[in-house]
């Protein structure tokens, strides 16, 4: 994976995924294992959209590797407010850092940035497009909790605008997984994603009611309705709060069901789920550090 950009989960073969997850597992046992390996390396953090987990875990990962980060800061404090283009911004920051992590509201922005710079670009979310590093930590969490054999995964919520779903669904086609997509009709998978999944021969089923499938699932991946991506706030209001799981609903599920969420959650997982053995979303968020350490270590 040396020197490659990471722009989309579609780039990741099963071999790539296993390499990152194995390295992450070794690091999770001993975060000091590669201490100092990347001294003098700087990672540029370019976040044009809000972020807590992705940005802080990249920051933590790079520092634990012995390197450091430089942060563009919020868009309000950068030259973007003066009208600078993305291409110019990344061409400047490439002169300051050995790799760039980019989050941007436009789909395709990471691909575009990669065409203007020579250092590796890591896509940390491009609009409703892709979020491949989230996918790697999601896969790590799935492997730890459910394994990849004969697996049934449900993805619920905003499948239209949810980039974590678009990435994860694609990556799961590398494994023996049946995928169930659960959403209101207006938030079903985009045609392009469905087309790609069909192209891989993946088994996918679509549902509007989680109760129909919850019993059959090993993993339920819940997502937030992506309010900021709705062109019309009224359309958001029509679906807001429609999908919510709680401890009572999970009584119908198998004991081993793993409930995941990329976070932040709004109201789609009731707090009473946190107390159940199903809740895995905080562990999932914590896995972001060893997984991003492994990825940076391999890419740099
Ligand atoms: C996700 C994202 O930014 O796409 N957050 C994250 O990186 N953990 C999910 C979301 O914002 O709903």
């Amino acid at each position: 994976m040396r020197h490659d950009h990471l722009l989309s989960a579609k780039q990741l073969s099963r071999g790539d995924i296993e390499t990152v997850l194995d390295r992450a597992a070794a690091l999770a046992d001993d975060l000091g294992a590669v201490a100092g390996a990347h001294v003098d390396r700087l990672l540029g953090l370019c976040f044009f959209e809000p972020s807590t987990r992705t940005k802080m875990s990249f920051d933590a990962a790079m520092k634990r590797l012995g390197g450091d980060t430089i942060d563009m800061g919020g868009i309000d404090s950068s030259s973007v407010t003066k009208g600078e283009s993305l291409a110019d911004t990344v061409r400047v920051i490439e002169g300051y850092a050995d790799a760039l992590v980019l989050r941007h509201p436009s789909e395709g922005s990471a691909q575009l940035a990669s065409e203007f710079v020579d250092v590796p670009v890591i896509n940390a979310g491009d609009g409703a497009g892709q979020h491949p590093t989230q996918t790697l930590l999601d896969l790590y969490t799935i492997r730890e909790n459910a394994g990849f054999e004969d697996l049934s995964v449900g993805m619920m919520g905003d499948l239209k605008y949810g980039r974590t779903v678009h990435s994860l669904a694609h990556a799961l086609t590398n494994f023996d997984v049946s995928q169930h997509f659960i959403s209101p009709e207006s938030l079903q998978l985009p045609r392009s994603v469905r087309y790609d999944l069909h192209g891989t021969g993946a088994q996918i089923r679509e549902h509007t009611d989680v109760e129909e499938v919850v019993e059959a699932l090993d993993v339920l991946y819940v997502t937030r309705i992506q309010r900021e991506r709705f062109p019309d706030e009224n359309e958001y209001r029509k679906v807001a709060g429609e999908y919510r799981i709680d401890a009572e609903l999970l009584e119908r599920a198998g004991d081993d069901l793993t409930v995941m969420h990329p976070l932040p959650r709004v109201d789609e997982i009731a707090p009473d789920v946190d107390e159940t053995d199903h809740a895995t979303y905080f562990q999932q968020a914590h896995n972001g550090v060893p997984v991003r350490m492994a990825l940076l270590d391999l890419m740099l």
Side-chain angles (χ1 to χ4, degrees):
M1 297 185 66
R2 237 177 134 75
H3 297 304
D4 272 342
H5 303 291
L6 178 57
L7 306 175
S8 164
K10 294 185 212 168
Q11 277 171 258
L12 298 170
S13 67
R14 183 171 177 148
D16 293 334
I17 292 167
E18 282 169 350
T19 302
V20 178
L21 303 199
D22 289 346
R23 178 80 62 114
L27 287 168
D29 284 341
D30 176 12
L31 282 185
V34 283
H38 295 275
V39 150
D40 296 335
R41 294 295 187 97
L42 283 180
L43 182 66
L45 303 176
C46 313
F47 282 73
F48 292 81
E49 268 190 350
S51 174
T52 304
R53 279 147 288 271
T54 305
K55 187 163 153 179
M56 290 189 75
S57 63
F58 263 114
D59 197 15
M62 193 62 190
K63 287 173 176 163
R64 286 200 185 270
L65 288 169
D68 211 338
T69 57
I70 51 171
D71 185 352
M72 183 188 91
I75 50 173
D76 295 341
S77 59
S78 72
S79 284
V80 175
T81 50
K82 300 181 189 169
E84 186 169 53
S85 68
L86 175 62
D88 281 1
T89 303
V90 294
R91 272 186 289 194
V92 170
I93 299 175
E94 119 173 280
Y96 307 152
D98 300 295
L100 304 182
V101 179
L102 176 70
R103 169 170 290 187
H104 194 279
S106 307
E107 211 168 314
S109 51
Q111 171 71 46
L112 182 123
S114 74
E115 287 163 15
F116 285 91
V117 300
D118 290 326
V119 297
V121 173
I122 300 175
N123 183 3
D126 61 323
Q130 287 273 316
H131 193 349
T133 68
Q134 176 71 39
T135 292
L136 286 167
L137 75 92
D138 293 341
L139 293 170
Y140 183 90
T141 309
I142 292 173
R143 188 171 81 165
E144 261 192 325
N145 288 278
F148 285 132
E149 291 306 316
D150 188 23
L151 192 69
S152 186
V153 176
M155 294 187 227
M156 180 180 120
D158 187 345
L159 311 181
K160 180 175 181 183
Y161 297 116
R163 56 196 174 196
T164 64
V165 169
H166 303 162
S167 282
L168 180 59
H170 205 93
L172 284 173
T173 64
N174 287 292
F175 301 91
D176 174 22
V177 175
S178 57
Q179 302 197 48
H180 296 266
F181 295 98
I182 308 142
S183 70
E185 263 165 40
S186 62
L187 295 180
Q188 283 175 346
L189 283 178
R191 226 187 302 169
S192 59
V193 175
R194 202 175 302 151
Y195 179 82
D196 278 345
L197 293 178
H198 281 307
T200 67
Q203 317 168 33
I204 67 170
R205 292 200 197 98
E206 299 187 71
H207 313 263
T208 51
D209 186 355
V210 64
E211 295 187 18
E212 259 173 47
V213 278
V214 71
E215 252 171 79
L217 299 176
D218 301 301
V219 174
L220 178 59
Y221 188 94
V222 184
T223 63
R224 170 180 74 88
I225 310 267
Q226 308 278 302
R227 181 178 195 165
E228 67 278 27
R229 310 222 187 276
F230 279 68
D232 177 354
E233 177 74 13
N234 286 325
E235 291 302 311
Y236 167 75
R237 286 209 201 94
K238 281 188 202 158
V239 285
E242 231 185 87
Y243 281 72
R244 178 178 162 92
I245 62 160
D246 56 20
E248 191 189 333
L249 175 107
L250 294 181
E251 280 169 19
R252 300 165 182 236
D255 290 345
D256 293 336
L257 175 73
T258 300
V259 175
M260 295 172 60
H261 192 304
L263 302 177
R265 73 173 141 178
V266 181
D267 53 9
E268 54 280 357
I269 300 182
D272 63 6
V273 177
D274 301 358
E275 311 309 322
T276 70
D277 291 338
H278 302 294
T280 315
Y281 23 94
F282 293 110
Q283 178 197 338
Q284 180 187 353
H286 296 159
N287 289 338
V289 174
V291 170
R292 291 186 168 111
M293 284 176 77
L295 183 71
L296 290 169
D297 190 32
L298 289 161
M299 287 183 76
L300 293 172

